[in-house]
Amino acid sequence: MHVNHDPADPPAETIAFDDFLCVDIRVGRIVSAEEFPEARKPAYKLVIDLGPGVGICKSSAQICARYGIEDLPGRLVAAVVNFPPRQIGKFMSEVLTVGFADGDGEVVLFEPDHDVPLGSRLF
């Protein structure tokens, strides 16, 4: 599967709307962040509160280039909550925190521009 990182790439192949609905993306608030020195690429270990329906989940996020660890707690983020957990070194990443690549290819977190209830689903 090719993941678009270049804004000049054409759109991915067309999917049905029901396929989109299968991806469960929720908003959460970062509760805590810590260094992840064992990761192959610079990353943080995040603990995210995804609301009462999903709960508290862990995520490994390669966002070190654009975010200081002290700036992450309290920030709203979006995460895919229905992928299977993924073992990253000794850490189990339970959700995929999502973002966009900036002009340097570094991840910029996706965040709502207004406060929304934790666990709200993207549609």
Side-chain angles (χ1 to χ4, degrees), residues 93-108:
S93 188
E94 300 168 320
V95 298
L96 174 67
T97 306
V98 298
F100 296 95
D102 66 11
D104 296 325
E106 300 295 344
V107 178
V108 175

Side-chain angles (χ1 to χ4, degrees), residues 2-12 100-105:
H2 174 71
V3 178
N4 288 344
H5 290 290
D6 184 343
D9 284 348
F100 296 95
D102 66 11
D104 296 325

Side-chain angles (χ1 to χ4, degrees), residues 20-44:
F20 168 73
L21 293 177
C22 290
V23 181
D24 191 351
I25 302 173
R26 306 282 184 107
V27 68
R29 188 173 307 280
I30 298 174
V31 175
S32 65
E34 63 182 78
E35 302 287 340
F36 191 7
E38 306 86 15
R40 276 187 261 140
K41 294 182 180 179
Y44 294 133

Side-chain angles (χ1 to χ4, degrees), residues 46-123:
L46 305 179
V47 175
I48 305 170
D49 181 354
L50 289 151
V54 178
I56 305 291
C57 295
K58 298 179 290 184
S59 181
S60 171
Q62 296 175 355
I63 57 174
C64 301
R66 294 291 176 250
Y67 301 94
I69 200 166
E70 66 281 352
D71 299 323
L72 293 170
R75 177 184 285 279
L76 289 176
V77 293
V80 177
V81 300
N82 65 332
F83 285 155
R86 186 170 177 205
Q87 188 77 42
I88 302 173
K90 295 181 180 180
F91 182 74
M92 183 64 72
S93 188
E94 300 168 320
V95 298
L96 174 67
T97 306
V98 298
F100 296 95
D102 66 11
D104 296 325
E106 300 295 344
V107 178
V108 175
L109 293 170
F110 178 78
E111 179 179 17
D113 63 357
H114 294 322
D115 207 21
V116 296
L118 299 183
S120 293
R121 188 169 178 176
L122 179 75
F123 61 91

